[in-house]
Amino acid sequence: MEQGIEYCPVSAGVHAVGDRWTLLILRELLMGSHRFNDIHRGLPGLNRTLLAGRLRRMRAIGLLEHGPDRAGRPAYRLTAAGAALEPLVWQLGDWARQWYFGEPAAEQLDPGWLLWRLRQFVRPEALPQRRVVAEFRFQDGPEQPREPVWLVLTPGEASVCRVAPGPEADLWVTAELRALHRVVAGTLAFPAAVRDGSVRLAGDPALADGFPGWFAWRTPQAS
């Protein structure tokens, strides 16, 4: 396999994972998305044909395997070589957060994508031992609020709904869309967003108190 002009491990590594999408596809698998549609949902800028081609290439170079999951549905899994790239994926994000990352642009403010990403952060072992419906209402600063989105949490599972799942929500999260994007990206700690009022929780006090601990935030949340 051609690995670049130089006989150099950096050159070979860039050849393997240095295109725009490979590391992002790895990110989706590391965050628990193993089926084609789930991977695609986490990558809104990538069309399905190009994703299929990238997945074939990643299988060919030994980063992925493809086969049935426990339910018999087609799924992608990282090989040992693919899993070994996990530190690189998160270190790249840490570098960007410190040196090459600013406020989200208006076109990046997407409630559906944001809730999908938040769903991937869920710590199943930390969830309440009952069904919890959290209703998210977003507002872009002083503008009119957007349509709500719901996160439905059951023991060991989480799903995102754009239609009210019923019955009435147990917890209401009202947030500036930009602020919650920053929380999920790791540039604003959740407690700081609560203190400055850009994120507000209402509903069952026990659920509101426990909510921040249900998620594996990518940066420390103490500040």
Side-chain angles (χ1 to χ4, degrees):
M1 180 185 298
E2 182 184 355
Q3 295 183 341
I5 296 173
E6 313 102 331
Y7 181 69
C8 168
V10 175
S11 177
V14 169
H15 176 81
V17 302
D19 67 272
R20 179 181 178 185
W21 294 110
T22 298
L23 289 177
L24 294 178
I25 294 169
L26 287 169
R27 178 198 66 190
E28 293 305 304
L29 278 111
L30 289 167
M31 296 184 72
S33 293
H34 298 286
R35 292 192 290 277
F36 184 94
N37 286 340
D38 290 343
I39 296 169
H40 184 254
R41 187 168 182 179
L43 298 167
L46 180 60
N47 68 55
R48 296 174 68 87
T49 300
L50 188 55
L51 174 58
R54 286 294 189 274
L55 289 169
R56 285 194 298 271
R57 180 179 183 275
M58 291 170 71
R59 290 174 62 192
I61 64 177
L63 301 178
L64 300 180
E65 296 175 335
H66 186 248
D69 62 13
R70 292 180 180 179
R73 296 170 297 187
Y76 293 90
R77 292 179 297 275
L78 293 171
T79 62
L85 287 165
E86 180 172 6
L88 175 62
V89 173
W90 304 135
Q91 286 169 12
L92 182 60
D94 292 341
W95 173 86
R97 194 176 292 114
Q98 181 175 359
W99 300 105
Y100 191 69
F101 199 57
E103 292 285 330
E107 61 270 19
Q108 295 174 314
L109 300 178
D110 183 335
W113 181 91
L114 179 62
L115 263 291
W116 180 256
R117 184 66 71 226
L118 191 61
R119 167 196 168 275
Q120 292 179 314
F121 284 14
V122 166
R123 301 169 56 219
E125 74 281 1
L127 294 177
Q129 292 304 301
R130 67 177 181 88
R131 183 177 184 265
V132 174
V133 176
E135 180 177 314
F136 288 75
R137 290 188 173 272
F138 296 110
Q139 190 160 2
D140 303 336
E143 298 175 11
Q144 293 299 313
R146 296 176 182 241
E147 292 298 315
V149 187
W150 290 265
L151 191 61
V152 180
L153 304 162
T154 57
E157 187 176 358
S159 58
V160 178
C161 299
R162 285 189 174 272
V163 177
E168 186 178 59
D170 306 286
L171 187 66
W172 289 264
V173 183
T174 304
E176 293 177 14
L177 185 55
R178 189 177 301 274
L180 197 56
H181 268 280
R182 290 187 59 209
V183 170
V184 170
T187 61
L188 176 65
F190 190 89
V194 171
R195 285 197 302 272
D196 69 20
S198 57
V199 176
R200 301 185 299 279
L201 300 173
D204 185 319
L207 295 178
D209 288 344
F211 180 84
W214 300 346
F215 304 94
W217 308 107
R218 293 298 167 192
T219 55
Q221 292 290 301
S223 59

